[in-house]
Amino acid sequence: MNAKLDSTIANRPVTRQTFDEVLVPTYAPAAMVPVRGAGLDLWDQNGKHYLDFTSGIAVASLGHCHPVVVEALTRQANTLWHLGNGYTNEPVLRLATALTEATFADRAFFCNSGAEANEAAFKLARKYAHGKFGAQKSRIVSCYQAFHGRTLFTVSVGGQSKYTEGFEPLPPAIDHIVFNDIEGARAAIGDDVCAVVVEPLQGEGGVVPADAAFLQELRALCDQTGALLIFDEVQCGMGRSGDLFHYMTYGVTPDILTSAKALGNGYPIGAMLTTNELAKALNVGTHGTTYGGNPLAATVALTVLETINQPAFLARVKEAGAKLRATMEKLAADYPQVFAQVRGAGLLLGLVTSEGWKGRSKDIQRAAEAHGLMVLIAGMDVLRLAPALIVSDAQIAEADRILRLSLDDLIKAAA
Ligand SMILES: *Cc1c(COP(=O)(O)O)cnc(C)c1O
């Protein structure tokens, strides 16, 4: 019998090796395969335990299998899954109401990922400018080292050429400026610019916070030129900075905000938030997606939002963020040959490697994994920590202990 038709395939053993045989090799996943999670605890196929300081790249912000989210998803799974955009549904109406009440925005558009949220934002900016000013106002300004997703448009707007090489021809009329460079922004943002997009805290680009003065200047330049200011909060939003969205920390309000990652805690959903005036540019038939805001995704996101957007919850994120930062600053001070700097906001921190350890973030990540701690990297020079927002002080202490063990191993191996 053809193995591909074997009806018992669900029971067949699969291993990390299987990945190399049947997946398109876009990723190089770790050697271990996680099979079960609860909170910040994960277990692999061999039953080995890991403390997860990645949250699936800042996604599972309430931890794995949070009981309130599981309950909401299960309830909705037994009620209604999907309708298509010929019908609206109660969960999406509630989610849009909650997001617009909680933010500057009046309107929400839902999709399935961060890239799609940004794609919608860029299309809205183009469409709005086209209608209001004419076709010549089409330029999009973004920052080097920015990351906005992997569709051809969003990867072109992102500022890392390694992600666009070989995919040319790229969409035109996209310029890049140096992140936090005010003079560069002034030079690039002219009357032909329809949108300026920025991450208030660059995640993939190395966990680099924006200067308040830079964001304020972008706001002023957009106001002067009629360009729209887009904040990509796919990674830094939804409570990770200690505020519901990071623009609130800065007091700089964008025209369009994109969210995804933690919005669904692992259930795929993205959102683009904007104002009444701008929303009009995407009238019936101009944009859409089959799954966007379906009842399952909207139910999960509403539950996540209502859990995170509580004063006590966000106060604890700030407290845990300060605790993690102080702990990592102490660690960096104790290992000055390894780490030069700790940066970031809330529970998204980057430990920047020193001169002698440039290019070695992945070595540190692997050493930590061997000791049962999962961490992220943000490029080869930055170790990135993004634990679930429910992380306890004891878990922060445990991560610190394992990181120190891991560094001791690497230093010993080099001696
Ligand atoms: C992850 C990320 C994206 C892309 O999100 P996907 O869901 O992977 O498409 C976009 N912007 C930022 C800032 C991100 O961190």
Side-chain angles (χ1 to χ4, degrees):
M1 192 178 144
N2 185 339
K4 290 198 175 186
L5 297 176
D6 185 343
S7 62
T8 63
I9 198 157
N11 300 319
R12 237 191 261 171
V14 282
T15 65
R16 170 63 181 76
Q17 174 70 28
T18 315
F19 181 95
D20 293 335
E21 292 162 5
V22 295
L23 273 291
V24 171
T26 45
Y27 313 111
M32 61 91 169
V33 179
V35 293
R36 190 165 59 85
L40 278 82
D41 297 307
L42 273 179
W43 291 268
D44 72 10
Q45 288 182 314
N46 302 320
K48 179 176 167 182
H49 172 264
Y50 298 86
L51 177 61
D52 182 8
F53 265 49
T54 73
S55 311
I57 318 190
V59 169
S61 277
L62 295 178
H64 299 286
C65 301
H66 189 288
V68 174
V69 183
V70 170
E71 194 281 322
L73 177 62
T74 309
R75 184 173 28 80
Q76 190 59 42
N78 285 301
T79 307
L80 186 65
W81 285 35
H82 184 81
L83 293 160
N85 293 307
Y87 306 87
T88 191
N89 66 79
E90 291 185 349
V92 82
L93 297 172
R94 294 199 179 98
L95 176 61
T97 302
L99 280 169
T100 53
E101 280 183 3
T103 65
F104 74 94
D106 312 306
R107 301 275 175 163
F109 171 82
F110 296 105
C111 48
N112 315 292
S113 67
E116 282 175 78
N118 286 323
E119 183 89 17
F122 304 154
K123 282 183 71 179
L124 168 57
R126 282 267 174 85
K127 190 83 165 38
Y128 178 75
H130 202 279
K132 187 167 176 186
F133 302 98
Q136 78 290 345
K137 194 173 179 69
S138 60
R139 193 159 290 282
I140 294 174
V141 172
S142 166
C143 295
Y144 289 114
Q145 299 307 119
F147 185 79
H148 299 302
R150 298 295 199 116
T151 65
L152 192 60
F153 195 4
T154 55
V155 86
S156 304
V157 173
Q160 304 190 49
S161 55
K162 65 176 183 207
Y163 293 143
T164 51
E165 273 160 26
F167 294 108
E168 298 86 355
L170 304 178
I174 297 166
D175 288 335
H176 295 95
I177 59 175
V178 173
F179 189 61
N180 282 334
D181 176 9
I182 288 180
E183 282 312 315
R186 286 186 183 137
I189 302 170
D191 286 335
D192 63 344
V193 173
C194 70
V196 177
V197 56
V198 66
E199 295 160 83
L201 170 62
Q202 284 192 337
E204 301 304 309
V207 193
V208 192
D211 297 336
F214 179 65
L215 296 185
Q216 285 158 5
E217 184 65 18
L218 294 183
R219 181 66 275 176
L221 290 166
C222 285
D223 291 343
Q224 283 159 29
T225 58
L228 302 181
L229 182 60
I230 303 172
F231 279 2
D232 178 345
E233 296 216 18
V234 169
Q235 186 158 161
C236 65
M238 281 303 287
R240 186 145 291 275
S241 70
D243 288 305
L244 180 62
F245 287 105
H246 206 15
Y247 81 87
M248 297 167 174
T249 321
Y250 284 95
V252 177
T253 304
D255 300 297
I256 303 175
L257 181 144
T258 56
S259 177
K261 289 200 165 97
L263 181 61
N265 208 63
Y267 197 96
I269 182 169
M272 178 196 67
L273 306 179
T274 191
T275 62
N276 275 326
E277 192 205 344
L278 300 180
K280 283 183 215 146
L282 292 183
N283 52 7
V284 175
T286 52
H287 191 57
T289 171
T290 296
Y291 294 125
N294 89 357
L296 287 174
T299 295
V300 171
L302 179 65
T303 307
V304 171
L305 178 65
E306 291 197 314
T307 305
I308 288 176
N309 196 24
Q310 300 291 338
F313 187 96
L314 291 170
R316 169 59 199 166
V317 175
K318 285 200 174 98
E319 183 185 84
K323 178 101 200 165
L324 181 63
R325 186 164 192 135
T327 305
M328 289 303 114
E329 271 167 2
K330 175 83 170 55
L331 177 137
D334 290 346
Y335 292 83
Q337 72 273 46
V338 181
F339 294 121
Q341 193 200 349
V342 179
R343 65 192 179 198
L347 284 169
L348 181 55
L349 294 187
L351 282 70
V352 186
T353 52
S354 299
E355 270 313 312
W357 282 63
K358 283 259 168 294
R360 296 201 59 190
S361 60
K362 205 155 183 88
D363 295 342
I364 304 169
Q365 182 189 36
R366 284 211 194 90
E369 189 188 295
H371 284 288
L373 173 69
M374 290 158 63
V375 293
L376 294 163
I377 61 173
M380 289 303 145
D381 300 331
V382 179
L383 196 73
R384 175 172 36 158
L385 305 181
L389 306 183
I390 59 168
V391 65
S392 68
D393 288 358
Q395 287 166 324
I396 291 171
E398 175 67 358
D400 179 49
R401 187 186 71 81
I402 296 180
L403 273 178
R404 284 168 187 265
L405 275 180
S406 312
L407 296 177
D408 291 342
D409 280 357
L410 291 170
I411 291 166
K412 217 179 296 159

